[in-house]
Amino acid sequence: MGRSTARAGPSQSQRPSQSQKTRTGRRQPHVEEVPEEEDEEEEEEAGEGEEMDVDGEADSEISRKVNALVRLALFTEHRRAVLRRDEINKKVLGSNSRVFNQVFAEAQQKLKSTFGMELAELPTRAGLDQDGAEEGPNEAQLATGVKKKANALGSKTYILRSTLDPVLVEHAAQTEEDILEEEAGDQATLFPALNLSDEEDDSDEDAERIPKYYGSVIAWSKSDQLGSMGILYVILALVLVNGRVIADGDLRRSLKTLHLPSNPAVHPVRHSSSSTLRALSLDTFLSNLLKQGYLDRQQVGGDTGKKGKKSGGGAKRLRTQAEDQEAGKIFEWRWGSRAFSEVGEQNIANFVAEFMVVTDGEGEEDGAAATRSRARQQELMKKMYTGIEKAAGGGLTDLK
């Protein structure tokens, strides 16, 4: 009974022999055990190193994208074109478009700190109309409690504009005697055969236009598009004082009095000698302003049912005035979205008021006479600004 209940042990064949023990002992040398805490510390250090490498690569990639966006914005502004969100995704971000906000914010900071500029999103036409109307809810909306659907104000298109303080720009444009002397010497060296005189010879339209020098830190006269920008400001002023909209015929008649005819054979818009394009016809110049977003043209007469009321914004070539008259089409001009974001109605009104009030002879008095003269100018400019505001049909807006 006792033997039947006893548990059987391993047989002799199942027991390892003495020689097997010895061979096993030779093949498996003794390994010193490492505490588990040291293993965990080594794993943590390795993990931290890999994480630092990943973070460093991510930061470097973001930095490259930021620099690429800054370069793209500068090149686009040099062509006076608008920068589109799709273009940023394609040329800068690639497949990683989710980092747009971070890249855009860091690029903004670099543009401001290095170049004194910023990327500004252009408003849509619906957004401009909504800001101009500022209408409250109607009776039906008040009765039902339904809110008016808001239009999308952002267009996902951007331009570069200056962030410099206007006071700083004004001081940098003042004449400095030492700079004036240096520029006079440079002018004599660069143009030795030029007869420097106060009166410019306009007899030859194709003659090289030598930039003048004024001895200031900011040399406005050295810009290759100085003349065209001046004409743009005049056009924006004409549109503004005509109730923010002007008929095509009225605009052309006003420009003709300024020796800017609409004749295609004449090129009255001239650039400086450093520009690649020396002169433009008025129609070509207006077409460029449409493409750049400074102006907006809408058809208000003739056959508007086939192609819609808006015309000219996306056209490759602006039709001449004779072609429009032959087709029986009537157009009117308004400010474009870029003009609202880059120039501003208030700045144009101040530009016109200062031009109309300030004269070259004023400001030469000393003491009490100078104080009275400045006070008189400020009062006249204020009245002129108020008159421009009334002519525009309401309060003038700042940069959008």
Side-chain angles (χ1 to χ4, degrees):
M1 292 291 293
R3 281 181 297 181
S4 62
T5 58
R7 186 174 181 178
S11 62
Q12 188 173 359
S13 61
Q14 294 173 336
R15 296 172 182 169
S17 61
Q18 191 68 25
S19 61
Q20 288 175 337
K21 291 181 179 180
T22 305
R23 287 196 299 270
T24 304
R26 292 196 203 102
R27 291 179 181 178
Q28 298 180 356
H30 176 68
V31 179
E32 183 178 356
E33 295 183 358
V34 180
E36 295 181 359
E37 295 180 357
E38 295 183 4
D39 288 342
E40 293 177 357
E41 291 178 357
E42 292 178 358
E43 292 177 359
E44 290 178 359
E45 292 177 357
E48 290 177 357
E50 294 177 358
E51 185 177 355
M52 291 177 62
D53 293 340
V54 172
D55 293 341
E57 292 178 0
D59 293 341
S60 178
E61 182 68 19
I62 292 295
S63 179
R64 285 194 294 269
K65 293 182 183 300
V66 168
N67 294 333
L69 178 54
V70 170
R71 287 194 297 270
L72 179 61
L74 293 173
F75 292 154
T76 304
E77 173 61 24
H78 182 70
R79 296 184 288 110
R80 289 289 179 182
V82 295
L83 180 59
R84 304 185 182 278
R85 172 74 177 267
D86 295 338
E87 190 176 1
I88 297 176
N89 292 337
K90 180 180 178 181
K91 297 182 178 180
V92 176
L93 302 180
S95 60
N96 194 10
S97 60
R98 292 177 296 179
V99 297
F100 173 82
N101 292 336
Q102 181 181 359
V103 172
F104 188 85
E106 294 187 17
Q108 284 280 61
Q109 182 62 33
K110 179 164 289 190
L111 285 168
K112 292 179 181 179
S113 60
T114 306
F115 301 99
M117 308 184 78
E118 67 176 356
L119 281 168
E121 186 175 7
L122 297 178
T124 61
R125 172 53 60 181
L128 294 174
D129 295 339
Q130 179 178 332
D131 290 344
E134 292 293 338
E135 295 179 354
N138 54 33
E139 295 180 0
Q141 292 171 345
L142 291 175
T144 58
V146 178
K147 296 182 179 180
K148 182 179 179 180
K149 184 177 180 181
N151 294 320
L153 302 182
S155 61
K156 294 185 178 180
T157 56
Y158 306 88
I159 62 167
L160 273 182
R161 66 184 182 189
S162 174
T163 59
L164 297 178
D165 193 311
V167 177
L168 176 63
V169 176
E170 184 178 357
H171 282 289
Q174 299 297 323
T175 300
E176 300 288 343
E177 293 299 330
D178 53 346
I179 300 179
L180 189 63
E181 293 178 3
E182 291 288 340
E183 288 184 338
D186 294 340
Q187 198 84 341
T189 303
L190 294 174
F191 308 100
L194 180 65
N195 182 17
L196 299 177
S197 61
D198 295 335
E199 298 294 333
E200 185 179 358
D201 184 14
D202 293 335
S203 59
D204 188 1
E205 293 185 356
D206 296 329
E208 183 177 3
R209 301 176 65 86
I210 306 301
K212 295 182 179 180
Y213 56 93
Y214 299 95
S216 57
V217 175
I218 297 181
W220 299 109
S221 59
K222 301 298 178 63
S223 173
D224 58 349
Q225 297 181 358
L226 182 65
S228 60
M229 291 302 295
I231 298 174
L232 167 63
Y233 277 36
V234 171
I235 293 175
L236 293 178
L238 290 173
V239 175
L240 183 63
V241 298
N242 278 274
R244 294 187 171 96
V245 59
I246 186 172
D248 181 73
D250 295 338
L251 175 63
R252 293 178 184 273
R253 279 190 292 271
S254 299
L255 294 177
K256 187 176 181 179
T257 61
L258 301 174
H259 302 284
L260 297 171
S262 300
N263 188 350
V266 180
H267 298 75
V269 182
R270 292 179 290 177
H271 297 152
S272 65
S273 58
S274 60
S275 176
T276 56
L277 193 60
R278 300 292 295 276
L280 297 174
S281 66
L282 182 61
D283 288 317
T284 302
F285 178 64
L286 293 175
S287 180
N288 289 342
L289 296 182
L290 279 173
K291 295 176 183 178
Q292 295 166 358
Y294 288 108
L295 292 177
D296 180 51
R297 191 179 75 146
Q298 294 183 351
Q299 184 176 343
V300 294
D303 188 5
T304 60
K306 294 182 179 180
K307 296 184 179 180
K309 295 183 179 180
K310 188 173 181 180
S311 175
K316 294 183 179 179
R317 182 185 69 86
L318 184 69
R319 296 168 62 95
T320 63
Q321 184 183 20
E323 292 173 339
D324 290 335
Q325 290 177 351
E326 183 179 356
K329 296 181 178 180
I330 302 175
F331 294 93
E332 62 184 14
W333 297 86
R334 291 180 173 84
W335 279 31
S337 57
R338 182 166 189 154
F340 284 101
S341 296
E342 183 178 314
V343 185
E345 292 181 342
Q346 295 180 1
N347 291 330
I348 286 293
N350 288 325
F351 160 73
V352 174
E354 184 176 356
F355 178 81
M356 297 297 292
V357 172
V358 178
T359 61
D360 294 336
E362 297 189 26
E364 297 179 356
E365 301 89 347
D366 295 329
T371 303
R372 289 193 300 270
S373 177
R374 285 193 296 268
R376 183 171 61 255
Q377 285 188 6
Q378 293 297 325
E379 185 65 23
L380 292 175
M381 288 180 60
K382 185 177 180 180
K383 291 181 179 180
M384 181 65 67
Y385 185 94
T386 303
I388 296 172
E389 192 173 30
K390 292 180 179 178
L396 303 180
T397 62
D398 198 0
L399 294 178
K400 293 186 181 294

